[in-house]
Amino acid sequence: MAEVIIVEDQDAAGALVADTIVQLLRSTPQPVLGLATGSTPLSTYRALAQRIRDESIDVRHVRGFALDEYVGLPAGHPESYRSVITREVVEPLGLDPSLVHVPNGDAATIDTAGEEYEAAILAAGGVDLQILGLGRTGHIGFNEPGSSLASLTRVKTLTEATRSDNARFFDSPDDVPMHCITQGIGTILRARHLVLLAFGERKARAVAAALEGPLSAMQPGSAIQLHPHATVVVDEAAASELALADYYRHAWANRMAWQQP
Ligand code: F6R
């Protein structure tokens, strides 16, 4: 079972996850981070940027792989995940941009982009720590319900629910692309440590389904039940539908001294 940590708010989650990432950066010569976009990981990126600055942590060798990208946005579009990763991660953390990869959403070369991305992750030695958000539909990456639990990086059609959730980033809901290229669930499961974050009541049902529901392609987040090292960090609102919430609090409060998230 994933380790489930229920925290007070997003800042507490960000501080906790940043601490885990700092330990990785200090202990691994060429750490590889799996990067999510969207609102959920922002408190983690903020806390991590602060720690890197305050403690002068060497990030010259940090490599990164984003989870996903829209297909067909013009190069340099401010809401392409390439732009978002540059703005929210590469610049504030001071990473080397040439070491941070985002799937190639150029429609002209999309046929081969998935395979190339998989090869790049393998060549980097795989992802050490994968940050994940959870969509209201239960998606991780952009693996919408019905995605194969063994899937690799490929093109997917976004659900209308996800397009409407992401419309807040665009001038008009119609501007949200229909298609994306996303790491598959199989790709995500290869990372050595998964850290799934979710905040707010609107995520509560998806969190409960992912952690306590049956393992099912209908709930892509439930795939984390297969992973030997998964940490889930949620606030009280996102935890509100968890049947075992009291047990998770009890287990975290009584964790052994050696237990790290
Ligand atoms: C983003 C991603 C998505 C988001 C999810 C939640 O790279 O892969 O799975 O994590 O849609 O989005 P937010 O965090 O904006 O609620």
Side-chain angles (χ1 to χ4, degrees):
M1 172 198 264
E3 175 155 55
V4 184
I5 306 171
I6 302 172
V7 294
E8 201 182 332
D9 55 25
Q10 300 199 28
D11 285 343
L16 191 120
V17 177
D19 196 55
T20 302
I21 297 174
V22 165
Q23 289 176 42
L24 174 74
L25 301 187
R26 290 197 188 286
S27 62
T28 312
Q30 295 195 314
V32 182
L33 296 177
L35 303 164
T37 50
S39 305
T40 305
L42 294 179
S43 63
T44 295
Y45 296 144
R46 270 197 306 274
L48 184 58
Q50 188 73 41
R51 294 278 307 263
I52 289 169
R53 271 197 305 275
D54 291 353
E55 298 167 38
S56 305
I57 297 167
D58 182 0
V59 294
R60 276 174 304 167
H61 304 296
V62 175
R63 286 165 297 169
F65 287 90
L67 277 171
D68 37 24
E69 176 60 291
Y70 293 114
V71 172
L73 286 182
H77 188 290
E79 293 310 327
S80 74
Y81 283 171
R82 163 60 74 189
S83 299
V84 172
I85 288 283
T86 302
R87 205 163 57 229
E88 310 285 4
V89 183
V90 173
E91 288 173 356
L93 270 54
L95 303 185
D96 176 346
S98 72
L99 299 181
V100 178
H101 307 264
V102 178
N104 182 356
D106 182 349
T109 52
I110 203 69
D111 285 2
T112 50
E115 234 170 274
E116 281 164 15
Y117 204 62
E118 289 291 327
I121 295 175
L122 284 180
V127 170
D128 290 307
L129 184 149
Q130 175 65 58
I131 301 167
L132 295 169
L134 185 65
R136 216 165 33 105
T137 64
H139 67 226
I140 50 174
F142 273 143
N143 296 283
E144 297 284 24
S147 296
S148 157
L149 299 179
S151 49
L152 301 179
T153 305
R154 74 232 181 275
V155 173
K156 288 290 288 181
T157 306
L158 293 169
T159 60
E160 286 304 298
T162 298
R163 289 185 72 228
S164 119
D165 281 349
N166 289 6
R168 68 190 191 280
F169 298 115
F170 290 82
D171 292 338
S172 135
D174 291 340
D175 292 348
V176 185
M178 282 291 175
H179 298 102
C180 63
I181 172 166
T182 180
Q183 285 190 31
I185 298 175
T187 320
I188 292 169
L189 289 175
R190 287 177 184 161
R192 288 180 272 282
H193 183 189
L194 301 183
V195 178
L196 177 76
L197 297 157
F199 307 119
E201 206 195 323
R202 51 199 290 283
K203 299 289 177 74
R205 195 187 303 172
V207 167
L211 297 186
E212 296 177 341
L215 172 67
S216 165
M218 288 304 284
Q219 285 293 336
S222 68
I224 69 161
Q225 295 176 27
L226 291 168
H227 199 281
H229 188 190
T231 306
V232 177
V233 186
V234 289
D235 64 4
E236 292 286 347
S240 59
E241 293 193 28
L242 287 170
L244 298 181
D246 285 343
Y247 172 66
Y248 304 136
R249 287 192 192 92
H250 175 72
W252 178 241
N254 293 290
R255 65 192 176 278
M256 312 277 282
W258 49 263
Q259 259 180 293
Q260 306 281 349

